Amino acid sequence: MRWSEEEARIRTAICRIGKLGYDRSYIVGADGNISAMMSDGTILITPTGAMKGFLEPDHIAHVDMTGRALDDGPRPSSEVGIHLVAYSERPDCKAIFHAHPPHAVALTIAGIDMQMPVIPEIIVTIGGIPTAPFGTPGTPELPETIRSLVRCSDVMMMQNHGSVTLGANLMDAYKKLDMLEHTAKILWLAHVAKGGLEPLPEEAVRKMLETRSMLGIKTRNTLENRCGL
């Protein structure tokens, strides 16, 4: 199969990012899905039922913004709707990673708030991690649960299910997933050690948010825009 240089590069990158996520146990078995948008507005996405740690470039599906397959290749993920909603609401977004990071999913089940301002690095960058209400996987109900959150956050959880991270490119989406699960691990350990947490004082949070402009950080921040709060 002959691909353009751009398509070949993105197909290879999706495979590499899938292996990273698999090796870090952010996805297991056939869990999760990864996509990236090409310059022509079409989408390359992992196929249904595939183990993301063992992908090859010709395994990747190619669809338009309605989810319609554009070639005779593999069928796209059954959760392609998550990606279509995110791309339609966020024209700046060029890549999406939907994963099942275990600590973060566990916190949604336990009802532990990941929006709470506790960790300075997260406060300054993404702000917090909002959680969408539960939606039935594999149905049109699921992507609609995140529609309002993707408008104002790059990082979010789906109740009892998994995470969705948006990026300017595939590595950016993966980086935010890495940050999300690292945050969840810290919160998990803190809850085990203390049995509950208190947010940092409002004044301390305000001062940290003020450093964003000095540091040149312009990403969406849920504590600034009150996303999910």
Side-chain angles (χ1 to χ4, degrees), residues 97-222:
F97 199 147
H98 163 47
H100 295 176
H103 291 82
V105 173
L107 293 190
T108 74
I109 296 170
I112 296 170
D113 183 13
M114 283 184 279
Q115 280 278 61
M116 185 185 296
V118 175
I119 303 169
E121 291 79 6
I122 300 303
I123 292 170
V124 172
T125 52
I126 62 177
I129 302 162
T131 298
F134 182 78
T136 305
T139 72
E141 176 185 297
L142 181 64
E144 288 304 317
T145 66
I146 67 166
R147 187 179 291 277
S148 63
L149 292 182
V150 297
R151 294 170 180 161
C152 53
S153 181
D154 293 342
V155 181
M156 65 212 70
M157 293 299 300
M158 294 183 288
Q159 182 70 43
N160 289 56
H161 180 172
S163 62
V164 179
T165 53
L166 284 58
N169 52 53
L170 284 159
M171 186 55 76
D172 188 36
Y174 174 79
K175 176 187 75 174
K176 290 166 184 170
L177 169 59
D178 217 22
M179 293 167 66
L180 180 157
E181 178 64 355
H182 186 64
T183 299
K185 286 179 182 177
I186 294 172
L187 294 178
W188 175 277
L189 291 168
H191 273 272
V192 169
K194 188 180 179 183
L197 289 180
E198 295 294 329
L200 285 169
E202 289 186 11
E203 179 64 12
V205 173
R206 183 188 63 78
K207 287 180 179 179
M208 280 184 277
L209 291 176
E210 287 175 353
T211 68
R212 282 170 51 83
S213 58
M214 177 186 68
L215 296 170
I217 300 173
K218 299 179 181 178
T219 54
R220 279 173 168 77
N221 185 292
T222 65

Side-chain angles (χ1 to χ4, degrees), residues 60-82:
I60 307 303
H62 189 193
V63 301
D64 64 16
M65 276 295 291
T66 69
R68 180 178 63 90
L70 295 175
D71 54 33
D72 295 326
R75 291 187 298 121
S77 166
S78 61
E79 292 180 334
V80 65
I82 294 171

Side-chain angles (χ1 to χ4, degrees), residues 35-38 41-45 61-65 83-84 87:
S35 74
M37 180 176 284
M38 296 206 297
T42 62
I43 300 165
L44 294 171
I45 185 169
H62 189 193
V63 301
D64 64 16
M65 276 295 291
H83 302 254
L84 299 179
Y87 288 125

